């Protein structure tokens, strides 16, 4: 899944892959308890656009998709900071996360921003 | 047609000693037990688990001898509640273990099971008793209990 996280105001902690993993586990524990927190989540790529926004590609088991997606979507605050997590794309293959045929402009044969 | 079904858990709480059992039973109420089960579900299954169960979770009976509450819960969340019940480790700071003895569709089926279960326990105690006088006394008590319960439930 490719997900984007954004805080309303700049948080007082550094937003990196370790912190993002902690946020994901916190969201799973809040909504689905210890069973949810035991879901194996791997962060394959993490990129901070600014101190308050982050884009990441995460890997989860297929049968836990609904749990993880719902937990990420319903996270409204973390450590008192208002935030939002948006799942941009979910796919079983990494190649479809890298490229999307919907973003390809056939008339100009160029790739628009996806 | 879709039929509305309930499920009733018969749960036995085992304490370390009789004093702790008596102390817990004195302060145990229906509401406190429901809160305890809800906290266990919240810990194990989170807010989603609590929301699945909250509307239909209730405690029907707490008996004096075994503290066996019956919870009324819809069929789709049986596994969640069962797992949460087994994670209960203390009641009002009294350490205990919770064991789900029976899962039934009606309260009457749980009561019938409880009678059979207690009868088996009493017979086990009768076999293990040492003196003849104690055996005789226990035998008479078992007969009286069986007669009373068979009349009550028309078994």
């Amino acid at each position: 899944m490719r997900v984007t996280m954004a805080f309303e105001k700049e948080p007082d902690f550094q937003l990196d892959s370790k912190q993002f993993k902690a946020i994901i586990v916190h969201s799973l524990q809040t909504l689905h308890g210890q069973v949810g927190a035991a879901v194996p989540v791997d962060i394959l790529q993490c990129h901070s656009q600014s101190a308050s926004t982050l884009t990441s590609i995460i890997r989860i088991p297929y049968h836990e998709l609904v749990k993880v997606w719902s937990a990420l979507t319903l996270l409204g605050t973390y450590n008192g900071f208002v935030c939002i997590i948006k799942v941009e794309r979910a796919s079983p293959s990494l190649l479809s996360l890298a490229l999307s045929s919907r973003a390809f402009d056939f008339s100009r044969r160029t790739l628009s921003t996806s | 047609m879709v039929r509305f079904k309930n499920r009733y858990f018969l749960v036995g709480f085992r304490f370390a000693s009789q004093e702790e059992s008596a102390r817990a039973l004195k302060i145990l109420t229906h509401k406190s037990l429901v809160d305890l089960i809800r906290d266990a579900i919240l810990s194990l299954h989170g807010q989603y688990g609590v929301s699945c169960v909250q509307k239909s979770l209730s405690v029907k009976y707490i008996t004096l001898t075994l503290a066996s509450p019956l919870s009324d819960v819809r069929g789709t969340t049986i596994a969640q509640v069962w797992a949460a019940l087994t994670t209960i480790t203390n009641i009002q700071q009294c350490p205990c273990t919770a064991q789900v003895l029976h899962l039934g569709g009606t309260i009457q089926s749980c009561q019938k099971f409880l009678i059979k279960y207690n009868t088996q326990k009493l017979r086990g105690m009768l076999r293990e008793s040492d003196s003849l006088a104690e055996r005789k006394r226990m035998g008479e008590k078992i007969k009286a209990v069986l007669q009373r319960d068979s009349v009550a439930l028309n078994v």
Side-chain angles (χ1 to χ4, degrees), chain B residues 92-130:
Chain B
Q92 311 279 356
Q93 280 88 42
C94 297
C96 69
T97 54
Q99 184 189 6
V100 175
L101 300 171
H102 182 67
L103 172 65
T106 58
I107 295 180
Q108 194 176 23
S109 72
C110 291
Q111 286 174 335
K112 280 185 187 172
F113 174 84
L114 189 58
I115 290 168
K116 267 190 205 172
Y117 180 78
N118 287 338
T119 311
Q120 277 175 358
K121 281 259 177 180
L122 285 170
R123 286 192 175 131
M125 284 163 68
L126 182 67
R127 273 195 297 272
E128 286 168 13
S129 58
D130 297 328

Side-chain angles (χ1 to χ4, degrees), chain A residues 29-36, chain B residues 42-49:
Chain A
Q29 185 152 16
T30 305
L31 189 64
H32 295 289
Q34 293 176 18
V35 169
Chain B
L42 183 66
S43 165
L44 194 63
H45 294 290
Q47 295 171 358
Y48 174 72

Side-chain angles (χ1 to χ4, degrees), chain A residues 8-54:
Chain A
E8 191 182 32
K9 293 177 189 170
E10 194 176 314
D12 58 3
F13 47 81
Q14 192 187 356
L15 200 56
D16 55 5
S17 57
K18 286 180 195 167
Q19 188 63 52
F20 188 54
K21 175 82 184 270
I23 291 170
I24 294 173
V25 172
H26 168 79
S27 67
L28 279 164
Q29 185 152 16
T30 305
L31 189 64
H32 295 289
Q34 293 176 18
V35 169
V39 171
V41 178
D42 301 319
I43 297 186
L44 303 179
Q45 194 182 65
C46 196
H47 172 61
S48 302
Q49 282 100 351
S50 67
S52 58
T53 55
L54 176 143

Side-chain angles (χ1 to χ4, degrees), chain A residues 3 6-7 9 14-15 25 28 30 39 46 55 60 70 74-75 79-80 82 84 93 95-97 99 102-103 105 110:
Chain A
V3 297
F7 282 87
K9 293 177 189 170
Q14 192 187 356
L15 200 56
V25 172
L28 279 164
T30 305
V39 171
C46 196
T55 300
I60 54 171
S70 58
L74 290 175
L75 184 71
N79 274 5
V82 175
I84 180 171
S93 73
L95 193 60
S96 60
L97 296 182
L99 208 63
R102 279 180 248 170
D105 186 354
T110 55

Side-chain angles (χ1 to χ4, degrees), chain B residues 29-39 57-59:
Chain B
T29 59
H30 287 64
K31 187 181 178 305
S32 65
L33 204 50
V34 168
D35 290 341
L36 182 74
I37 297 171
R38 189 179 296 130
D39 289 343
L57 185 68
S58 65
V59 171

